[in-house]
Amino acid sequence: MSICTQESMTNHHVSTRPSSTADTLRMWWQRHQQRRELAQWTERDLHDLGLSWSEMQAEVDKPFWRA
C-alpha cells in the first residue's frame, strides 16, 4: 500500500500548472490511482491518518482533474 497523506490531498489554491500535456496526464493518473486506493482503506486506516469516512468519501468522489 502506498502512502497518501491528507496533506497531499488538500487543495492549497497554489498554482501547480503542469509544464506539459504529459505532466497533466501523469498528475491526473496519480490522483485517480490514489483516490481508488483510498477508497479501499479501512476505518482503522482512516483513523490512523485522522480522516473520517465522510472526508475520505468526499475525496474519492472528486473527479481526477480536481485537486
Side-chain angles (χ1 to χ4, degrees):
M1 178 182 325
S2 66
I3 303 295
C4 185
T5 63
Q6 186 174 4
E7 177 74 2
S8 68
M9 296 183 294
T10 304
N11 183 354
H12 295 285
H13 302 287
V14 175
S15 177
T16 55
R17 282 209 162 129
S19 60
S20 71
T21 301
D23 290 340
T24 299
L25 294 174
R26 190 175 304 109
M27 181 175 52
W28 286 353
W29 179 251
Q30 289 171 347
R31 283 184 193 152
H32 167 74
Q33 292 291 92
Q34 290 170 348
R35 289 173 180 162
R36 198 169 84 183
E37 182 178 325
L38 181 60
Q40 303 300 313
W41 287 12
T42 65
E43 284 283 338
R44 179 161 181 121
D45 295 331
L46 296 171
H47 181 267
D48 288 347
L49 278 178
L51 289 175
S52 69
W53 187 88
S54 59
E55 290 171 318
M56 176 274 295
Q57 195 62 47
E59 184 65 30
V60 168
D61 288 342
K62 286 182 187 177
F64 62 86
W65 60 86
R66 282 193 48 219

